[in-house]
Amino acid sequence: MVHRGGRHAITDRSRRDGAFASSLRNSKVATRRVGSMSDRTQRPDTILVLDFGSQYTHLIARRVREQKVYSEVVAHDTTVEEIKSKATDMNVKGLVFSGGPSSVYSPDAPSCDMRILEMALPILGICYGHQLIAKRALGKVRPGKKNEYGITYVSVDRPVGILKGMSKTERVWMSHRDIVTELPEEYETLAHSDNCPVAAFQCKLRPIYGIQWHPEVAHTEKGTLTLRNFIFEVCKCTPNWMVEDCIEKAIREVKNTVGQARAIVALSGGVDSGVAAAIASKAIGRNLSAVLVDHGLMRDGEPEVVKSIFSKLEMNLIVLNEKERFLKKLRKIKDPEEKRRIIGREFMRSFERASKALKADYLIQGTIYPDRIESGFRKHSDKIKTHHNVGGLPHTLKFKTIVEPIRDLYKDEVRLIAQQIGLPKEVWLRQPFPGPGLAVRIAGEVTPEKLEILKRADRIVDEEVRKSGLSGKLWQYFPVLTDTRSTGVKGDARAYGYVAAIRAVESLDGMTASFARLPYELLETISSRMTNEIPEIARVVYDVTHKPPATIEWE
Ligand code: XMP
């Protein structure tokens, strides 16, 4: 995130750990703000993103927000009246039609209120959005000769509007099958590629644009410039929003929902649940208890670290030792989604028991946007995996409500809020860790033996990556215990043991990721240590798959 120094702000000494407890006790949001939202503007300039189901829809909103312009994702069938009704809270200056997995010709293809095209608001259609606008304008959309996924080069025919400042050839990221082949007279082509005769267009009469590629994805080299052109040149937005504005909104939401009642917050020790806990603490103070479920699937020593950090917080901290129960429930379970669902269900049972004992009616969770996106909570989008804190929840819950105060934020936005709200550095710099823990890093059945092996391997990877000085540059780095065994030779004897894989990725938000090009020396050290120190591991491999097509976790 790049707001006011972005990650560099992490070095700000004024927010040191010592300030943590006291700043949480303050009722006003902590410091470094340049003024509350009302000082700056009541109604931030806003770009609304109409969601047609792409995995990247929310990246668009996030990229817009990086430019300090507020953005919100709305359903694709949002009406003109609904857009107009937003005028009390925000100044809508433009619309983006997202991509999506459908074909504009399929019978259940998502559409929009076409009166939106007459609203005189600037519109940018991306991928499916581009095709939808072209089809609606009576252009031609056809299946392409081949699917196009990944890096492509486009030729820019007219560097104007959203393509202002582009070179003749640009490296972009595409993911589509259909293509726009013809446009009506009032539209003109701005770019083409070998596969797409109309890779970008503009309407000559209105500020309406379309592009086949994805400017929101980091692999598109001038994606940010394309979005900036749309936001500032076409929509004429003023950058008058900051991520910190979300803190007050989130505190208000928790206060209004929970009122004078009691709530528990599900704490894992990661930055998401830490921020949710800090926000809830500010909202309802002593009526909040933090519950850490020790399911035995955390890293070695992790529950102790979390306890020591969060016991400084002004709230009741409860640690539940549930190791045996979780392991029992996971016995003989091999399917990754089944594992995720079981863990989600068991988590909820633990929280229900805790809430009964504490007489708490509300559960607060640190769910963030990518959790919800990948769990397929939106119309017309595919489920990638059941994030345990979203899709993994049982349908019958004994809570009045689950409150998710940071559900619309991305990880880097959450990290920034963690600094602003006064959480210690060790929380905001923590690697993301999946709710189902090491269970999704053990292929096949989770057994106590495999857990022990993986914890030891994890310690080695952690120690060596830290020693190499690369830990700060990586989004995540960890070992995976595969279900495959392999023959080796240790000393002069035959060895037959597990194949462990190392996964290390660079990412901005966890939505896309590149495998990290770790030095061979580092990989060699990790491999020798693992095979020497852990007798059950016979072989170590390195995962060189980006996301997509892989996900970051193996399961
Ligand atoms: P994937 O594997 O989907 O992971 O590429 C993206 C990011 O999300 C983390 N992750 C989870 N976080 N609950 C969470 O809170 C989950 O169930 C979960 N599954 C994956 C993962 O570690 C990565 O940072």
Side-chain angles (χ1 to χ4, degrees):
M1 198 71 194
V2 290
H3 299 297
R4 282 187 277 119
R7 282 176 194 274
H8 301 298
I10 282 171
T11 54
D12 182 346
R13 311 246 152 181
S14 68
R15 311 285 333 131
R16 272 278 160 93
D17 304 7
F20 171 44
S22 61
S23 71
L24 281 176
R25 263 175 250 125
N26 292 338
S27 59
K28 264 197 88 67
V29 170
T31 65
R32 292 217 304 126
R33 292 168 53 89
V34 290
S36 71
M37 182 135 159
S38 50
D39 295 338
R40 292 198 296 276
T41 171
Q42 288 290 347
R43 296 188 317 130
D45 281 359
T46 298
I47 303 288
L48 291 181
V49 182
L50 269 65
D51 178 16
F52 290 92
S54 161
Q55 294 299 326
Y56 305 114
T57 299
H58 290 268
L59 270 187
I60 305 170
R62 183 178 162 280
R63 299 275 183 246
V64 174
R65 295 195 318 221
E66 277 178 5
Q67 301 301 325
K68 298 188 175 133
V69 170
Y70 185 59
S71 183
E72 209 173 88
V73 175
V74 294
H76 63 84
D77 48 7
T78 301
T79 61
V80 166
E81 290 72 27
E82 283 166 333
I83 292 175
K84 285 186 180 158
S85 75
K86 290 193 173 279
T88 44
D89 296 330
M90 57 191 80
N91 193 12
V92 179
K93 299 284 279 275
L95 306 172
V96 176
F97 289 7
S98 82
S102 309
S103 163
V104 286
Y105 286 111
S106 75
D108 56 352
S111 189
C112 65
D113 178 348
M114 286 300 171
R115 295 174 300 154
I116 284 175
L117 295 169
E118 318 293 324
M119 277 181 88
L121 275 175
I123 297 175
L124 169 62
I126 295 175
C127 195
Y128 180 87
H130 160 88
Q131 295 156 10
L132 186 70
I133 296 170
K135 177 175 173 253
R136 189 68 199 184
L138 303 180
K140 287 203 173 113
V141 182
R142 299 272 176 264
K145 285 194 196 89
K146 54 181 173 103
N147 293 355
E148 206 169 18
Y149 295 118
I151 303 290
T152 306
Y153 290 87
V154 291
S155 302
V156 176
D157 306 307
R158 290 209 352 114
V160 297
I162 55 164
L163 300 190
K164 195 170 156 191
M166 303 276 158
S167 309
K168 277 206 163 328
T169 304
E170 289 294 346
R171 192 171 192 259
V172 302
W173 199 84
M174 298 237 200
S175 175
H176 67 106
R177 180 166 171 79
D178 289 352
I179 53 173
V180 178
T181 54
E182 268 176 50
L183 290 170
E185 209 178 301
E186 64 276 20
Y187 283 74
E188 67 177 321
T189 301
L190 299 184
H192 69 276
S193 73
D194 286 350
N195 195 37
C196 297
V198 183
F201 65 72
Q202 73 171 356
C203 174
K204 292 185 237 169
L205 311 176
R206 295 207 175 100
I208 296 178
Y209 293 85
I211 33 173
Q212 184 55 70
W213 66 88
H214 288 263
E216 72 277 21
V217 170
H219 304 300
T220 295
E221 264 172 6
K222 294 207 183 123
T224 305
L225 177 61
T226 311
L227 291 175
R228 281 183 61 86
N229 281 338
F230 181 66
I231 299 165
F232 299 115
E233 301 282 329
V234 179
C235 301
K236 311 276 182 226
C237 288
T238 306
N240 56 7
W241 175 84
M242 288 186 186
V243 69
E244 294 88 321
D245 295 330
C246 297
I247 303 177
E248 282 173 7
K249 195 169 151 232
I251 294 174
R252 239 186 351 261
E253 185 192 345
V254 176
K255 240 184 217 163
N256 292 343
T257 314
V258 180
Q260 298 305 311
R262 287 193 191 160
I264 58 170
V265 60
L267 196 66
S268 73
V271 66
D272 307 341
S273 64
V275 165
I279 282 171
S281 169
K282 280 177 180 292
I284 59 168
R286 292 212 157 266
N287 280 342
L288 181 74
S289 299
V291 178
L292 171 68
V293 179
D294 183 358
H295 49 18
L297 305 167
M298 293 170 98
R299 291 198 167 105
D300 210 16
E302 193 80 349
E304 291 72 27
V305 173
V306 177
K307 254 186 271 173
S308 95
I309 297 174
F310 285 90
S311 52
K312 293 175 206 148
L313 240 164
E314 283 283 287
M315 70 174 81
N316 190 18
L317 174 68
I318 291 154
V319 183
L320 302 177
N321 184 345
E322 308 269 8
K323 291 180 196 143
E324 272 181 32
R325 185 164 59 84
F326 275 79
L327 270 183
K328 204 164 133 202
K329 296 281 178 189
L330 288 170
R331 213 174 277 160
K332 299 213 174 3
I333 307 294
K334 292 186 176 165
D335 178 67
E337 279 297 282
E338 187 63 15
K339 282 192 215 170
R340 284 178 168 270
R341 274 192 298 272
I342 289 173
I343 295 169
R345 191 184 65 213
E346 293 310 311
F347 253 111
M348 205 43 63
R349 295 296 164 244
S350 304
F351 294 133
E352 281 172 356
R353 271 202 291 275
S355 67
K356 202 168 165 202
L358 293 159
K359 297 192 173 40
D361 288 332
Y362 294 87
L363 173 67
I364 294 159
Q365 286 207 131
T367 310
I368 62 169
Y369 228 104
D371 300 335
R372 304 205 295 146
I373 296 168
E374 299 207 336
S375 296
F377 78 104
R378 297 165 304 143
K379 283 188 243 174
H380 303 288
S381 73
D382 266 1
K383 177 161 94 178
I384 307 298
K385 56 178 73 168
T386 305
H387 280 230
H388 84 288
N389 41 350
V390 190
L393 300 187
H395 295 297
T396 50
L397 287 176
K398 300 208 172 83
F399 291 99
K400 267 196 185 148
T401 307
I402 295 186
V403 193
E404 297 172 320
I406 53 171
R407 64 186 171 277
D408 289 334
L409 298 179
Y410 281 87
K411 184 74 89 185
D412 48 358
E413 293 176 325
V414 176
R415 285 204 173 112
L416 197 69
I417 288 181
Q419 295 168 58
Q420 297 294 324
I421 209 161
L423 283 167
K425 202 170 173 176
E426 51 195 313
V427 176
W428 17 284
L429 293 185
R430 197 163 271 254
Q431 281 191 67
F433 189 68
L438 300 179
V440 293
R441 295 179 182 171
I442 293 175
E445 187 184 354
V446 179
T447 62
E449 183 222 11
K450 284 183 179 174
L451 259 176
E452 196 45 45
I453 298 170
L454 187 59
K455 282 183 186 177
R456 291 171 69 189
D458 185 76
R459 188 171 276 281
I460 293 173
V461 174
D462 191 52
E463 281 171 10
E464 293 304 327
V465 173
R466 278 175 199 274
K467 231 188 275 171
S468 74
L470 290 173
S471 57
K473 297 196 176 76
L474 301 174
W475 169 265
Q476 269 169 306
Y477 48 92
F478 54 85
V480 172
L481 196 65
T482 75
D483 216 8
T484 304
R485 296 195 196 209
S486 147
T487 305
V489 48
K490 289 192 184 181
D492 286 330
R494 178 182 194 268
Y496 185 65
Y498 286 106
V499 177
I502 303 167
R503 182 82 167 133
V505 296
E506 291 170 4
S507 175
L508 283 175
D509 40 47
M511 292 302 298
T512 59
S514 307
F515 75 83
R517 286 165 169 75
L518 293 186
Y520 278 149
E521 295 72 24
L522 173 59
L523 291 171
E524 189 179 13
T525 312
I526 292 174
S527 165
S528 328
R529 278 196 61 190
M530 273 196 202
T531 45
N532 279 319
E533 295 173 29
I534 310 174
E536 296 87 349
I537 293 183
R539 194 176 292 257
V540 178
V541 295
Y542 188 51
D543 180 350
V544 290
T545 330
H546 298 312
K547 174 183 178 177
T551 55
I552 296 175
E553 303 291 345
W554 272 37
E555 293 195 334

